[in-house]
Amino acid sequence: MNKASKNSTNVGEVPDISSGMVLLLAIASGLIVANLYYAQTLVGPISASTGLSAKAAGLIVTLTQIGYTLGLLFVVPLGDLLENRRLIITGLLVTAVALIVAALSTGAIVFLAAALAIGLGSVAAQVIVPFAAHLSKEATRGQAVGKVVSGLLLGIMLARPAASLVAAHASWHVVFGGAAVLMLALAAVLRRALPLRQPVSTIRYPALMASLWHLLLGTPVLRRRAAYHAGLFGAFSLFWTVTPLVLASPAFGLSQTGIAIFALVGMAGAVASPIAGRLADAGHTLPATAVALILGMVAFALPMFVPKSQHLALGLLVIASIVLDMGVAANLVLGQRAIFSLAPEVRGRLNGLYFALFFAGGAAGSAVGAWVYASYGWQATLLTGMAFPALALLVWLGEFLPSLSRRTA
């Protein structure tokens, strides 16, 4: 019997995911999740156009994240119940319609409602990531997930500069209209390229939703990983909601094009994703998590130094953005690798819970960040941002100290 046929008959053994499929899933997840972040560098223009006050401007980002959190809780678990390709395509179509509404909106209420729906439909990205895990072998799952998450993170990071550049040369309405066209095109591509995946579970939706609470209570790894990333993602959302406002202020006076270049440089932090995947596959998840959380704290410490030179101050802010994105990228992969090592039959629900919990942290970060900045200024905002990963590091100590005691006993 040759090696290929032997592998196909082993219980639990599956052919490994192809590099082409990894690339497709990475691109798709990046394009989808980008919809959540176009508004981050456009908070100023959108709030001015729709009549939102400075203290309420954070709602532009927060409502999208709330919609995403709701989708993670109530839609993503369906990945354990319904055929996955159809679920992904449906999410893309919902997102496209919501983006069209956002593009045509002129008032705050309509735009915020569309933002909520954009977040809800964009959870299709979190059906795609477990899809990659299902198609991968155990030995390479961290690397495959890491590459797909790299695409997801590149989508997040490219969304900001792309939105700023388009808005600078056209308008923010064009940003959302163009994104709608992308979603329709992506739906057509995935309809042809993705394999069918019909879960074997026969559980009904009410029981599926009831199981989420039991999974949360019975899965310590999920609770810890969600806490770690809620801290980092809260800091990330705070930073990228407030920093564009700071860059456009008299302190720096950057245009939308300048803000786009700033955001583009920050995407260098995505290089941490595949590195984190390899560390996770090698069993170094716990120390790598601490490094990621500390990077998050350092990112907010750097801009606290206020040199007299505006260029030097801007340079520190650029470094801070890269360091923060590195910490977020690495920790996201570490968390998903840990969760995808658990029971495959509940992988969709675990992933949905994981993202829902840490996106709640992100929503808190964007809302609190805009309010603190408007009320108390930039330095207070930096301290608030640092507090998010600092609290997560305290949770990490609760995992590290018992493990250290076991090793030294």
Side-chain angles (χ1 to χ4, degrees), residues 184-270:
L184 293 172
L186 182 60
V189 171
L190 295 183
R191 177 68 180 81
R192 293 179 60 87
L194 289 184
L196 292 173
R197 180 182 175 267
Q198 178 64 57
V200 297
S201 176
T202 57
I203 189 173
R204 293 184 179 274
Y205 185 70
L208 185 79
M209 297 309 301
S211 70
L212 295 178
W213 179 247
H214 298 293
L215 285 173
L216 180 61
L217 292 180
T219 315
V221 172
L222 171 64
R223 296 196 302 271
R224 288 195 298 265
R225 298 310 316 184
Y228 301 152
H229 210 64
L232 268 175
F233 199 66
F236 177 88
S237 294
L238 181 150
F239 183 91
W240 285 108
T241 298
V242 176
T243 299
L245 299 175
V246 175
L247 294 173
S249 72
F252 294 102
L254 295 189
S255 64
Q256 283 296 140
T257 301
I259 294 171
I261 295 170
F262 176 91
L264 192 62
V265 173
M267 65 180 286

Side-chain angles (χ1 to χ4, degrees), residues 367-385:
V368 170
W371 181 81
V372 171
Y373 177 65
S375 302
Y376 301 103
W378 178 229
Q379 291 294 319
T381 305
L382 292 173
L383 287 171
T384 304

